[in-house]
Amino acid sequence: QSIINTGKPYSFRQIISKSTRICKCFSKRKFSDISRRFLSFDEVVAQRRAEAKRSLVVQVNSEASFNELYGYCSKYASVNGIHHYKNSGDEHFMLIEFKTEEESKKVIHSCSSHQKDVDVMALHSPFLWFRAVSGKKEAFQIPKSQLMTTKGCNSIDEDNLIEELANCEDVSEQIQQMHDRTALNDLGVRLRYMVARQIERIFESLYANIVVRPFGSSVNGFGKMGCDLDLVLTNILNEEMCDSSKRLVYQEKKCEGGRSPWQRHMELVGELLELRVPGATRVQRILHARVPIVKYAHEFTDVDCDLCYNNMSGVYMSELLWLYGSLDPRVRPLTFVVRRWAQTVGLTNQHPGRWITNFPLTLMVLFFLQQKGKDGCVLPSLKTLVQYAGKEDVRLAEENLNCTFLRDMNKLPTDTYGQNKANLETLLLQFFEFYAQFDFHDKAISINEGVAIRKPNTLPLYIVNPLEQALNVSRNVSYEECERLKLEVRNAAWLLDAGLDGKKTDGWGILGLIERKSTRGLKNLLKVGNSHRLVSVKDLFNNDDDKIEKVNAKRNSE
Ligand code: GTP
Ligand code: MG
């Protein structure tokens, strides 16, 4: 193109020489694109942490405060971008990202404390509010490059989602759309890192080398809008801090008394959250659990937080899930629809109990995608990721737990995964069919092996903990809940299969699986003459499931 566009007459030699240069440039770019297709989890986390360090969240009167706030802040620092959102209390907030951390600090140090009350102790926090002033407002010219994004970060309207899904071309598009519309968006991630940064700043003055890291669904790529925030407080001593050649050593405080030191530190964390963290409310201490946690709600961001200490295995587990999700674009949409289906049929529940939770459910999806069908698998086993790990991938979590596996997916040979090119619709149906036939009685699910292994005990559901293989992540699941899981996967397989006749009747495709409190899919199934299949579920399990009763009643009345 550049040769043609200049319009000059070129000799043959000149054309060859120029073309060779262009080809070299092109192939160089192409090569680097191919060799660096995947970002690592650590790179993404580092970017997000840096972003949070140069950002502030400001409560404002309304969306219209944007211009004024922009003008005010740009007197102190250059603004990268502003995002607007509202919390559930209908209060307006703007997340401002500055060019550098230094600049955001400059803004923080220029703030005032709004009370003249000596009982309210001042505090430097990245959560601020913007004082309204009377009189004529200054107008500011905002450069186009700093346009405000006003996506918000609240869960999307359920009716709109259902309508959009009903209007999709096919089931694969529905699954993709459901993921795209409900996945945690950029602002949701930014705010979660801000919440982590806020307490990190406060704890920094008390503990050396402290980091507060988000883990779980907020960062593992499987989080939906409004998901909880799991946080871990780590206080890791690096080699330099333990250097025995240094002669000056800190006098340190040993924690005395019978209780575990970290239970006591977590008690302090609870107190600090109540006393020193603006926006933190409803602080609950659950300190006698295996992993002691402090729960709190962050009212400025509407995020429910679970804070624990030194649980690095949780972070590495999130990294593992994130890596699996980034390897193939079908993994996350498929997991989203499965999680949503499980919620709709009541297999999962937001309260802990005898039922399955999202984490083991995600492992079930990954395990299914590791199965080698006639076309091969979608995902490699964890054993393969361990096999390709190098020195740089060695990680030890608490109690010397080995969490070593390949971190840089660019190094994973392409023939170890992705041979199966089935679309999302096929994969979803196969997922339900796979578990409808799975031998839960004798077999355990292990993403380490990528194949079912013999169950080491008689617990109803056995899903091997990928990082601690002697443990079962679904040990809490009761016999009844496991039976319900088996029943529901069969129902889902039948529902989906029956709806794949190309007719877009009411509740077609995934709608029959994910619409809340609806027997639409079942009714539809009756219309297309498949009711015998559902009745066979009742015969098979002798289960008086509510839904099947409804179908039978409907059939009798018809
Ligand atoms: P939602 O909060 O339901 O959206 O999903 P989540 O993935 O965040 O699950 P959850 O909050 O229950 O757990 C947070 C993270 O802790 C998970 O993503 C895992 O990384 C880890 N985790 C959860 N359960 C277990 C478990 O039984 N064993 C271990 N080692 N880690 C777990
Ligand atoms: Mg969570």
Side-chain angles (χ1 to χ4, degrees):
Q1 276 288 309
S2 72
I3 295 170
I4 296 160
N5 288 347
T6 51
K8 285 190 208 154
Y10 279 104
S11 70
F12 181 69
R13 188 186 290 179
Q14 277 174 313
I15 290 177
I16 294 297
S17 143
K18 268 192 178 279
S19 312
T20 313
R21 250 182 289 147
I22 291 167
C23 285
K24 270 189 188 153
C25 267
F26 182 70
S27 59
K28 206 166 153 193
R29 204 181 66 213
K30 259 304 215 231
F31 180 74
S32 64
D33 283 354
I34 292 168
S35 62
R36 288 273 315 148
R37 271 189 310 150
F38 302 105
L39 275 180
S40 75
F41 182 75
D42 284 345
E43 281 169 315
V44 174
V45 170
Q47 274 175 19
R48 288 296 188 181
R49 281 176 56 81
E51 204 173 71
K53 284 183 180 173
R54 51 176 193 261
S55 302
L56 300 172
V57 175
V58 185
Q59 186 171 2
V60 291
N61 263 345
S62 75
E63 220 171 318
S65 315
F66 171 69
N67 192 295
E68 231 184 307
L69 179 68
Y70 175 86
Y72 186 84
C73 289
S74 44
K75 281 184 199 160
Y76 297 91
S78 32
V79 176
N80 254 358
I82 305 188
H83 305 253
H84 165 257
Y85 71 93
K86 276 203 287 184
N87 68 358
S88 57
D90 233 12
E91 293 163 321
H92 292 259
F93 294 86
M94 305 260 177
L95 183 150
I96 316 182
E97 185 194 342
F98 295 96
K99 283 245 153 48
T100 64
E101 186 185 344
E102 286 317 304
E103 286 178 293
S104 85
K105 276 189 190 155
K106 227 163 48 185
V107 177
I108 288 193
H109 289 288
S110 74
C111 296
S112 69
S113 183
H114 88 288
Q115 315 243 13
K116 288 201 181 97
D117 185 345
V118 284
D119 289 340
V120 180
M121 316 263 181
L123 170 104
H124 284 172
S125 159
F127 286 85
L128 312 164
W129 64 275
F130 193 43
R131 202 193 304 264
V133 286
S134 52
K136 196 168 173 287
K137 311 255 179 337
E138 242 180 294
F140 298 93
Q141 280 299 318
I142 301 161
K144 274 214 176 94
S145 59
Q146 286 159 354
L147 279 181
M148 172 171 70
T149 357
T150 52
K151 270 192 207 144
C153 56
N154 300 328
S155 309
I156 78 151
D157 182 77
E158 196 64 14
D159 292 340
N160 281 349
L161 176 68
I162 298 296
E163 199 183 320
E164 282 177 30
L165 297 180
N167 291 330
C168 283
E169 280 293 304
D170 52 41
V171 178
S172 294
E173 192 187 319
Q174 281 187 321
I175 300 171
Q176 187 65 51
Q177 182 83 341
M178 210 202 80
H179 167 263
D180 298 350
R181 302 289 284 121
T182 59
L184 189 62
N185 65 6
D186 173 61
L187 181 53
V189 178
R190 282 174 187 265
L191 289 175
R192 280 162 177 75
Y193 274 89
M194 289 301 295
V195 170
R197 178 65 194 146
Q198 181 190 27
I199 46 177
E200 190 175 77
R201 273 184 72 99
I202 291 167
F203 297 157
E204 264 169 0
S205 58
L206 291 174
Y207 300 96
N209 220 21
I210 194 100
V211 181
V212 176
R213 300 167 211 262
F215 71 107
S217 58
S218 296
V219 295
N220 68 14
F222 297 106
K224 58 175 191 171
M225 297 278 237
C227 69
D228 292 356
L229 171 60
D230 300 291
L231 290 170
V232 57
L233 188 81
T234 55
N235 184 30
I236 294 169
L237 295 175
N238 56 31
E239 272 177 31
E240 200 195 334
M241 290 172 86
C242 303
D243 186 349
S244 55
S245 66
K246 291 189 177 165
R247 299 223 22 224
L248 287 173
V249 184
Y250 300 115
Q251 293 280 3
E252 274 156 0
K253 181 87 190 170
K254 273 232 159 64
C255 201
E256 278 153 18
R259 276 174 304 163
S260 113
W262 277 101
Q263 247 175 27
R264 298 203 56 193
H265 287 288
M266 290 301 281
E267 273 169 23
L268 173 64
V269 165
E271 295 295 308
L272 283 171
L273 281 164
E274 278 174 346
L275 276 173
R276 304 300 294 149
V277 183
T281 59
R282 304 202 301 272
V283 179
Q284 266 179 286
R285 299 149 180 88
I286 305 169
L287 303 178
H288 298 287
R290 195 175 64 92
V291 181
I293 58 168
V294 177
K295 284 174 157 306
Y296 68 101
H298 198 276
E299 63 181 356
F300 299 151
T301 54
D302 272 341
V303 177
D304 289 327
C305 309
D306 282 359
L307 177 66
C308 61
Y309 164 72
N310 204 20
N311 174 23
M312 274 310 284
S313 63
V315 177
Y316 295 139
M317 190 81 84
S318 305
E319 181 174 23
L320 181 65
L321 298 195
W322 187 87
L323 289 171
Y324 271 123
S326 65
L327 256 185
D328 188 290
R330 293 166 294 177
V331 179
R332 288 173 184 153
L334 191 69
T335 309
F336 263 66
V337 75
V338 169
R339 280 182 174 216
R340 172 67 192 249
W341 155 80
Q343 183 194 359
T344 308
V345 296
L347 284 173
T348 51
N349 183 316
Q350 58 180 352
H351 306 290
R354 292 151 68 83
W355 34 83
I356 193 162
T357 61
N358 278 331
F359 171 59
L361 203 57
T362 306
L363 294 181
M364 284 176 70
V365 179
L366 299 182
F367 179 71
F368 157 70
L369 293 172
Q370 292 172 332
Q371 304 309 301
K372 289 197 175 80
K374 60 178 177 2
D375 306 320
C377 60
V378 176
L379 291 177
S381 66
L382 178 52
K383 207 165 62 178
T384 310
L385 299 188
V386 173
Q387 183 192 334
Y388 286 100
K391 274 204 299 266
E392 63 288 2
D393 298 312
V394 174
R395 304 280 191 284
L396 290 182
E398 60 282 356
E399 290 162 21
N400 269 343
L401 194 65
N402 191 348
C403 300
T404 304
F405 49 83
L406 181 69
R407 263 60 190 190
D408 182 357
M409 291 297 122
N410 299 297
K411 294 183 185 160
L412 187 66
T414 47
D415 60 356
T416 55
Y417 67 99
Q419 302 93 351
N420 180 338
K421 304 279 184 229
N423 64 16
L424 284 168
E425 170 180 320
T426 308
L427 288 177
L428 183 61
L429 181 60
Q430 287 175 350
F431 169 84
F432 290 126
E433 286 173 346
F434 175 75
Y435 284 110
Q437 289 164 19
F438 190 80
D439 179 7
F440 287 98
H441 188 261
D442 287 327
K443 299 288 187 198
I445 290 163
S446 160
I447 70 157
N448 304 68
E449 298 299 323
V451 290
I453 58 169
R454 182 156 285 282
K455 252 177 33 175
N457 59 31
T458 55
L459 282 170
L461 181 62
Y462 204 105
I463 303 176
V464 175
N465 182 329
L467 301 179
E468 237 177 319
Q469 290 180 54
L471 301 181
N472 172 10
V473 298
S474 54
R475 62 196 168 279
N476 62 311
V477 176
S478 67
Y479 174 78
E480 291 75 19
E481 285 299 319
C482 186
E483 286 302 300
R484 246 163 45 73
L485 171 70
K486 291 192 232 169
L487 179 78
E488 291 294 355
V489 287
R490 284 174 197 229
N491 256 348
W494 285 319
L495 266 175
L496 198 60
D497 191 24
L500 295 184
D501 55 3
K503 290 190 197 128
K504 290 191 184 165
T505 41
D506 202 14
W508 72 280
I510 64 165
L511 289 170
L513 302 176
I514 63 152
E515 265 188 286
R516 229 163 263 162
K517 291 190 204 103
S518 162
T519 51
R520 232 197 216 186
L522 293 161
K523 281 184 204 156
N524 207 25
L525 194 59
L526 287 168
K527 273 191 220 148
V528 292
N530 285 296
S531 59
H532 59 283
R533 294 171 140 181
L534 284 165
V535 177
S536 70
V537 177
K538 184 172 162 61
D539 293 342
L540 205 62
F541 288 98
N542 196 18
N543 190 310
D544 59 352
D545 185 82
D546 205 9
K547 214 186 262 177
I548 294 168
E549 287 301 323
K550 273 187 200 151
V551 175
N552 282 338
K554 170 93 182 159
R555 198 171 63 132
N556 291 340
S557 73
E558 276 172 356

